[in-house]
Amino acid sequence: MYKSYIKISDAFKPRTGAEIYAALFDGKPDKCTVVLEKQDQIIPVIDVAIYLHFKTCEAELNRILKQQRYEMRVLVNKEKDTSTSTLEPNWFEPSKMGDSIYVYTYKKDDFGNYQTLFVSKKKHEVYCKDIWN
């Protein structure tokens, strides 16, 4: 029984920011990337999404963007962004990156699973919201 408990408790052990980053973007953060904040999705549907805030260099951001077919738009902070919600952690504030930001969205399937990257104009700061239910 004790061994089963250990295996189950390990499954629910929180991942580090680097582990979440590696899972989302297919690779460990390189030396120009620093994870600032994180909130993992432990139980799909109950935990709304994975949230990640990191700083990176433009080359690493380009590597990430080449992995999927992201749709890009520019969000002016005066606009209401419908891809954010009140369920997000209090530190998840892409609007603090400036008057306008790039928003990259990758729709994973037709069941509401998607990834959105909110990127600063200088392409060095990113907020990520990844939903997988």
Side-chain angles (χ1 to χ4, degrees), residues 55-81:
K55 291 197 175 188
T56 193
C57 56
E58 194 169 348
E60 175 64 2
L61 179 61
N62 289 336
R63 183 192 71 80
I64 291 168
L65 293 174
K66 288 178 183 175
Q67 292 179 344
Q68 307 295 342
R69 299 183 116 205
Y70 288 95
E71 291 182 20
M72 192 274 286
R73 65 186 172 96
V74 176
L75 178 69
V76 178
N77 269 341
K78 294 178 185 174
E79 298 174 33
K80 174 70 175 154
D81 183 16

Side-chain angles (χ1 to χ4, degrees), residues 3-66:
K3 288 181 183 179
S4 296
Y5 170 78
I6 295 299
K7 288 181 181 179
I8 291 171
S9 65
D10 284 348
F12 290 101
K13 185 191 288 185
R15 294 186 290 180
T16 67
E19 290 170 329
I20 295 169
Y21 185 94
L24 291 176
F25 306 121
D26 198 28
K28 294 180 182 177
D30 65 2
K31 46 189 161 179
C32 75
T33 304
V34 177
V35 175
L36 303 171
E37 298 280 353
K38 65 176 176 62
Q39 180 175 309
D40 206 352
Q41 183 181 31
I42 306 297
I43 303 169
V45 180
I46 293 173
D47 297 325
V48 177
I50 294 172
Y51 296 96
L52 199 62
H53 178 204
F54 59 95
K55 291 197 175 188
T56 193
C57 56
E58 194 169 348
E60 175 64 2
L61 179 61
N62 289 336
R63 183 192 71 80
I64 291 168
L65 293 174
K66 288 178 183 175

